[in-house]
Amino acid sequence: MVYGTTWKELIQEEFGDGIMSAIDFDMSLERQPDQKGDRVKIAMSGKFLPYKRY
């Protein structure tokens, strides 16, 4: 809910009008140690589906 609209805008800026599919989707979450406090690394991979006009 917090970053969804931002990610959507970034995807559309890079690929055009469409969405990232959650049907064939992969996500990984990783802890990265840091002296100032651990960091979170999130990687998401999904197929881009352009919008279709009817």
Side-chain angles (χ1 to χ4, degrees), residues 25-30 41-45:
F25 179 81
D26 183 46
M27 184 174 93
S28 63
L29 183 103
E30 183 180 328
K41 179 178 179 181
I42 300 173
M44 298 186 303
S45 176

Side-chain angles (χ1 to χ4, degrees), residues 11-49:
I11 290 167
Q12 288 185 344
E13 185 176 313
E14 181 72 25
F15 293 93
D17 288 339
I19 61 168
M20 181 176 63
S21 174
I23 295 171
D24 185 12
F25 179 81
D26 183 46
M27 184 174 93
S28 63
L29 183 103
E30 183 180 328
R31 179 186 299 239
Q32 294 184 319
D34 189 277
Q35 290 180 350
K36 297 178 185 175
D38 289 352
R39 299 184 60 84
V40 179
K41 179 178 179 181
I42 300 173
M44 298 186 303
S45 176
K47 183 177 179 182
F48 176 74
L49 300 174

